[in-house]
């Protein structure tokens, strides 16, 4: 057997390949970042879901201590004596 006919050991280049992540992972991370950027842009163009949901202003929101809101002062019809 000559030196040229000996098969190379698979361990010689395996250590460098195992340390590098697979190329598909880079594509997935790029796609994930792109989807996040697009959804953020669409959300910022659309604005808040309802006027009271924006955190920047206090226009019209009622805190629990202000006496507003739907407390249990009125009760419900037909539920007398239920506790």
């Amino acid at each position: 057997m000559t030196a040229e006919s000996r098969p190379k050991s698979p361990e010689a280049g395996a250590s460098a390949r195992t340390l590098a992540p697979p190329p598909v992972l880079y594509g997935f991370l790029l796609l994930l970042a792109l989807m996040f950027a697009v959804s953020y842009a669409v959300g910022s163009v659309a604005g808040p879901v309802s006027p009271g949901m924006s955190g920047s202003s206090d226009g019209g929101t009622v805190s629990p201590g202000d006496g507003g809101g739907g407390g249990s002062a009125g009760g419900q019809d037909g539920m007398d004596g239920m506790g």
Side-chain angles (χ1 to χ4, degrees):
M1 250 191 170
T2 63
E4 292 83 23
S5 65
R6 271 191 243 150
K8 293 184 178 182
S9 66
E11 296 142 5
S15 63
R17 265 186 273 137
T18 57
L19 295 178
V24 174
L25 180 63
Y26 293 126
F28 174 73
L29 291 177
L30 180 67
L31 181 65
L32 188 66
L34 181 68
M35 293 297 290
F36 176 76
V38 167
S39 65
Y40 184 81
V42 168
S44 64
V45 167
V49 175
S50 69
M53 299 235 357
S54 88
S56 62
S57 68
D58 195 27
T61 59
V62 178
S63 63
D66 289 342
S72 61
Q76 295 179 348
D77 294 336
M79 299 297 284
D80 296 335
M82 293 294 290

